[in-house]
Amino acid sequence: MYIENHMDVLGMGRRQLQPWSIAGGSISYMEPIFPIRISDYTRTHHLLPWRPNVGFENTEVIPLATKSISSYALDASNKMSTRPLKFPNLITGYQRNPVHASQAALYTRYTPHEWFQKQVKYYNEADSQRHYSERMRNDALRVIRDAEEKIQHGQYDTSRRLGERINDITFWRNEVAAELERMLHEIERLHDCRSVLEKAARDIEGPLRIAEECLYHREARKGTELVHDESEKCLLREVQNLRTNQKKLEACLDKCKDQLRNCRASQNQLELDLKNKESALGIDAVCHQLNNHTQGLQYYSGIEKYDPCVSEQETWADAVNRIVQRSQTERNKSCQLRTTAESLVNKVAQEMWNTWSNTNNALTHRSSELLEAKNKLQQHLQKVQQEIFGVEKNLELMRKAIADKSYATKVAHTRMEARMHRPDMELCRDYAYASLQKEIDEINHQLERMHKALKELENQHQKLLRTRTMLEHDLALKIDAIYIDKEKVCGLRRAYPVNALFRF
């Protein structure tokens, strides 16, 4: 009966335990409330502090409800009146009736054997309850010691695990911070490389514009000077080379921008992971410093059943390792891209300088050729002019000679006409007549030769005039070409326009 009452009281205490609450963002704990009578608690438990708060206690005897018995009548032989009997209160009781007490004693007495058996029963029950209670106390002490030992071991193991976790987080935090610093330096260098590529792509516009303008100026040449010479070939190669290099620089610039975006994405991941690790490190450091005497400790109902974790120890390490490895990969790609960009800029600069020098050399050589041709043309023009003067002089002499021969012709014709007037037989074909015929024939023949020579001289004079005109025209073209190549073209190419960027 004591055990049942004890369990009932414990059950009542458990039923009165308040449930866990998570309302308002924090979880509060309500201490168990047990129904304890204040008077008995003050009288008993203050005197015996080692006794538990719950248990079996005889606190009050509740009297039975009094009820009149109307149907009960005593036997007539006992000579008792039929007054209603009242059951006495065992504590206070009523005034006893001696007649009733003596009469009832005959019927309410127990036998000595029953009394002895009752005492033995009570003794045995007391011994069994005492042994059971002692065993329960020993079990409770053992449970207390085991619980204390296990809880201390669990708390120590948790603190040790927290310390290991703090070491792991600190190690990866340092790795992420170092990688973030290296990534920031790499992003800065890649940004400078992008600026260099942009400036190089812009600076190509100057030489390209100059080369195209040189081609445009050389298109102003006239006549046979519009020759597809080595200078024009070099200019065309230079334009093609500049456009190709500009496309290469723009492609490398696009790769640099893409790599810069990837590096910044890795930087964002590193910064976010570093921030998370700093927060986690602070929380774990605070948790590692907590102990049983720390203030502000609270109950949180059912928190052990709630699992908000999104990763495990291995996946966590793999995730941060992937972030660091991705950053390292992006840094290596950025370093290779910077090396490629630097070599490309140097190669482009060298090719531009080579084509620039080759074109200048070709223009210089062409200018020297034009100058030499001009000098030779001037010499030939001078000789042709002198020859023209000589031919004109000969023409005058020839015309004068032909005019002079007219007198001899007239003399011969006059003689022959006069001799035709001889009379009769005197009109003889003598040697004088034959000589006059021969003389006239010779004069005509010589005049014919002289006219032919005069015509040839006139034709040659015209040819010389045309040659002089041709030489003068060609000399003018040469002078114009020399002016274009030497003044306009070479004047634009006296200084290399991107010396500030490309260094040799």
Side-chain angles (χ1 to χ4, degrees):
M1 179 178 182
Y2 170 76
I3 296 174
E4 294 176 355
N5 294 333
H6 181 65
M7 298 303 292
D8 292 336
V9 174
L10 289 176
M12 184 187 303
R14 290 191 181 95
R15 286 193 299 273
Q16 292 178 355
L17 289 177
Q18 298 297 325
W20 298 100
S21 176
I22 317 179
S26 62
I27 306 173
S28 61
Y29 172 71
M30 301 297 293
E31 293 291 342
I33 301 174
F34 300 99
I36 301 174
R37 293 181 178 85
I38 298 176
S39 61
D40 296 336
Y41 181 81
T42 305
R43 182 178 70 253
T44 304
H45 293 80
H46 281 263
L47 295 177
L48 302 174
W50 54 271
R51 297 190 60 182
N53 292 334
V54 293
F56 176 78
E57 293 183 3
N58 291 325
T59 58
E60 184 180 358
V61 177
I62 301 174
L64 296 174
T66 58
K67 182 179 180 182
S68 358
I69 305 175
S70 58
S71 62
Y72 181 76
L74 295 176
D75 190 2
S77 63
N78 294 332
K79 297 180 180 181
M80 295 182 62
S81 62
T82 60
R83 290 184 304 171
L85 296 177
K86 296 182 180 180
F87 289 96
N89 193 321
L90 298 178
I91 302 299
T92 60
Y94 294 95
Q95 190 68 29
R96 297 191 180 206
N97 192 342
V99 178
H100 290 171
S102 60
Q103 185 66 27
L106 299 176
Y107 297 97
T108 60
R109 303 291 178 98
Y110 293 96
T111 63
H113 178 71
E114 291 175 346
W115 179 85
F116 182 77
Q117 290 295 327
K118 184 186 69 172
Q119 296 300 319
V120 171
K121 177 182 177 182
Y122 288 162
Y123 297 157
N124 292 332
E125 184 176 357
D127 290 337
S128 64
Q129 293 296 330
R130 190 169 59 251
H131 288 300
Y132 180 74
S133 176
E134 183 178 1
R135 191 164 57 251
M136 291 293 292
R137 285 189 295 106
N138 293 331
D139 292 341
L141 292 175
R142 186 172 63 255
V143 169
I144 290 172
R145 287 193 297 268
D146 292 342
E148 184 68 21
E149 182 180 356
K150 290 182 179 180
I151 288 174
Q152 288 181 357
H153 178 72
Q155 196 174 53
Y156 171 77
D157 185 68
T158 302
S159 299
R160 182 175 60 83
R161 295 291 186 182
L162 282 173
E164 293 176 355
R165 181 63 177 174
I166 288 173
N167 292 333
D168 294 340
I169 295 177
T170 303
F171 170 76
W172 283 111
R173 190 269 311 271
N174 296 334
E175 289 292 327
V176 171
E179 182 62 28
L180 178 60
E181 184 177 1
R182 290 191 290 267
M183 177 58 74
L184 290 175
H185 291 314
E186 183 62 30
I187 288 176
E188 184 178 359
R189 289 193 291 267
L190 188 60
H191 185 74
D192 295 338
C193 180
R194 186 187 71 173
S195 301
V196 170
L197 287 174
E198 290 177 350
K199 189 175 185 303
R202 289 194 306 269
D203 288 344
I204 288 181
E205 292 294 334
L208 181 60
R209 181 183 59 81
I210 290 174
E212 291 176 349
E213 191 171 355
C214 290
L215 287 173
Y216 174 76
H217 285 313
R218 285 179 63 84
E219 288 296 323
R221 295 174 299 171
K222 300 176 182 178
T224 57
E225 295 304 318
L226 281 171
V227 61
H228 188 63
D229 53 2
E230 189 64 26
S231 298
E232 188 170 356
K233 293 179 181 178
C234 290
L235 283 172
L236 291 174
R237 284 197 298 267
E238 183 179 358
V239 170
Q240 183 179 2
N241 186 22
L242 289 173
R243 289 176 178 173
T244 303
N245 290 332
Q246 190 176 27
K247 291 181 180 178
K248 289 181 180 179
L249 289 174
E250 289 176 353
C252 186
L253 181 60
D254 293 336
K255 291 181 181 179
C256 185
K257 290 179 180 179
D258 294 337
Q259 185 61 38
L260 192 59
R261 282 193 290 268
N262 294 333
C263 289
R264 284 177 178 169
S266 297
Q267 175 192 354
N268 187 19
Q269 285 187 346
L270 290 173
E271 289 177 350
L272 181 61
D273 191 68
L274 181 61
K275 181 181 178 181
N276 294 336
K277 281 181 172 48
E278 291 286 350
S279 178
L281 185 61
I283 293 174
D284 287 346
V286 172
C287 293
H288 187 261
Q289 293 175 359
L290 293 177
N291 52 40
N292 294 334
H293 304 287
T294 304
Q295 296 181 357
L297 300 178
Q298 294 182 4
Y299 286 101
Y300 297 93
S301 175
I303 194 171
E304 70 280 358
K305 298 179 182 179
Y306 177 66
D307 187 9
C309 300
V310 296
S311 63
E312 297 180 355
Q313 183 74 20
E314 293 77 9
T315 58
W316 173 81
D318 292 338
V320 65
N321 190 24
R322 284 196 300 271
I323 293 175
V324 174
Q325 286 181 353
R326 180 187 176 186
S327 177
Q328 292 176 352
T329 302
E330 296 299 334
R331 280 196 305 107
N332 293 331
K333 290 182 180 178
S334 176
C335 184
Q336 293 177 0
L337 183 60
R338 285 191 300 104
T339 304
T340 304
E342 290 177 0
S343 62
L344 178 61
V345 169
N346 294 329
K347 181 181 178 181
V348 167
Q350 189 64 39
E351 289 180 357
M352 290 173 62
W353 178 255
N354 292 334
T355 54
W356 184 271
S357 300
N358 293 333
T359 304
N360 289 341
N361 294 332
L363 287 171
T364 303
H365 181 68
R366 182 61 179 171
S367 297
S368 63
E369 288 181 351
L370 289 174
L371 185 60
E372 184 179 0
K374 173 196 169 186
N375 295 330
K376 290 183 178 180
L377 280 175
Q378 287 178 346
Q379 293 176 4
H380 285 285
L381 182 61
Q382 186 178 4
K383 293 179 180 180
V384 168
Q385 187 66 35
Q386 292 176 359
E387 186 65 25
I388 288 174
F389 291 157
V391 170
E392 289 178 351
K393 187 177 180 180
N394 288 335
L395 283 173
E396 293 296 330
L397 293 174
M398 184 64 68
R399 290 191 183 98
K400 188 176 182 303
I402 292 174
D404 291 341
K405 296 300 183 290
S406 62
Y407 298 106
T409 304
K410 290 178 181 180
V411 171
H413 285 182
T414 301
R415 285 177 179 178
M416 183 167 282
E417 195 275 333
R419 294 194 71 198
M420 287 182 181
H421 294 283
R422 290 178 299 167
D424 296 330
M425 291 300 295
E426 293 300 324
L427 191 65
C428 178
R429 189 182 301 272
D430 52 6
Y431 294 108
Y433 183 82
S435 177
L436 284 173
Q437 284 184 342
K438 183 177 180 181
E439 180 184 1
I440 291 173
D441 292 337
E442 185 65 25
I443 290 173
N444 291 331
H445 178 70
Q446 294 301 324
L447 286 174
E448 185 179 357
R449 287 183 57 196
M450 292 176 68
H451 281 290
K452 185 177 180 181
L454 178 62
K455 189 175 181 179
E456 289 178 356
L457 284 175
E458 289 177 351
N459 292 334
Q460 185 63 30
H461 183 260
Q462 294 298 322
K463 289 180 181 178
L464 288 173
L465 289 176
R466 284 194 299 269
T467 301
R468 184 185 68 178
T469 303
M470 182 184 63
L471 291 176
E472 288 176 351
H473 179 70
D474 192 59
L475 181 61
L477 295 180
K478 293 287 190 297
I479 293 173
D480 185 64
I482 290 173
Y483 174 76
I484 291 174
D485 288 345
K486 199 169 185 180
E487 298 298 330
K488 290 186 176 181
V489 176
C490 292
L492 292 173
R493 307 175 65 86
R494 285 195 180 96
Y496 193 62
V498 287
N499 287 328
L501 175 63
F502 300 104
R503 299 177 178 86
F504 302 98

